Amino acid sequence: MSELTLKEVLNSSVRYLAEAGISTPRQDAEILISHVLGLSRVDLYLNFHWTLTPQEHQAVEELIRERGQRYPLQYLTGEVAFGGLILRIEPGVFIPRPETELLVECAVGVLGSSEFRSSIVRANSSCPFPVMNAGRRTGSGSPVVLDVGTGCGAIALSVAREVKDCLVYALDISAQAIDLARFNAQKLGLQERITFLVGDFVQITPAELRGKVDLVASNPPYIKKSDIARLEPEVRDYEAAAIDGGKDGLAYFRRLLPFAQQFLAPGGQLLLEIGEGQVQEILHLAEQTSFELVGIHQDLGGIDRIIQLRKKSHCLNQR
Ligand SMILES: C[S@@+](CC[C@H](N)C(=O)[O-])C[C@H]1O[C@@H](n2cnc3c(N)ncnc32)[C@H](O)[C@@H]1O
């Protein structure tokens, strides 16, 4: 393998990725080359005339080739930026998307609001059983959050980091996802406030949490099964299991809304990420399950992306 400068390797990688149909060829090439060389992307440009060793050149070529075959970028580097966090990610676990940061913003806003906080204290005072968390008895006043379908832990970890006193339950049907989420929590020093549970959310959520949860957050599988074949190869070939929302994309919501109705405290909130065009159907389901609408939040593309619902608070004594 002949010796080439960083600039030459970058330029040929960008050309290769562009020809392979990658929509962000320069960005992807920079990220992969930085990853191999252990440099920041800015440093690449400061060291354009460096010569790569044959081993470095070969490592870059392998990653660029795989990316050209539409293998997801984040699986190649093993990490993903989400909010202010860098999370470990691996094939088999859904890669968090920027839209979901909006859900986290909403969750942090709800949990930080003094109006919401005072309703928690009021409700807790009538609760005879303190909520259990990983074998510890928690004092009243700490908000309890469920992240249903946590994946690598993006929502659970972001909320736990921003809201210092909350207790989070992170659930996923995939044992691999939960192992990864637990790894990410340990890396960030957040494992003490997060309980990880593997299995179907309806079956594994501890019964003692019924009526005591303050916030349920979920970015569920919501893509119609028949639409998956039309998605970009990166998503279609590597993430189908995590996004399959059944025949009409609503299968998961049909189970999640009644579940949240049971587990939320009166006045507690449900934050759901939804797909484009699903808002009316979800509102219909919300009406059927006696939720009231708090708000609909749009993503940067102007698409209705997050639905914020509240469990009606006519029965505070349920908690
Ligand atoms: C679209 S991914 C979202 C992952 C993560 N919340 C995020 O935003 O990056 C949906 C997740 O739900 C999980 N899931 C699917 N069905 C589930 C079920 N019945 N119970 C618990 N988790 C489930 C999948 O394994 C997957 O990790």
Side-chain angles (χ1 to χ4, degrees), residues 162-234:
E162 292 296 322
V163 184
K164 305 287 180 220
D165 63 341
C166 71
L167 300 168
V168 182
Y169 287 76
L171 323 174
D172 206 290
I173 201 157
S174 154
Q176 186 195 1
I178 288 295
D179 284 348
L180 189 60
R182 192 180 282 117
F183 174 90
N184 280 323
Q186 276 161 358
K187 208 173 79 175
L188 295 166
L190 293 169
Q191 70 278 11
E192 285 297 309
R193 284 191 292 120
I194 308 183
T195 300
F196 295 96
L197 299 169
V198 183
D200 176 65
F201 63 97
V202 172
Q203 285 159 22
I204 54 168
T205 306
E208 65 263 28
L209 291 182
R210 263 170 214 264
K212 298 193 182 77
V213 172
D214 299 289
L215 182 76
V216 175
S218 187
N219 170 23
Y222 57 68
I223 307 289
K224 280 186 195 167
K225 198 182 261 305
S226 57
D227 286 348
I228 292 178
R230 288 195 286 275
L231 297 176
E232 292 292 323
E234 288 87 340

Side-chain angles (χ1 to χ4, degrees), residues 11-34:
N11 286 341
S12 67
S13 301
V14 172
R15 273 196 305 277
Y16 181 88
L17 293 181
E19 280 163 22
I22 301 294
S23 59
T24 50
R26 178 160 294 274
Q27 179 182 302
D28 288 23
E30 286 174 3
I31 290 172
L32 291 173
I33 296 172
S34 312

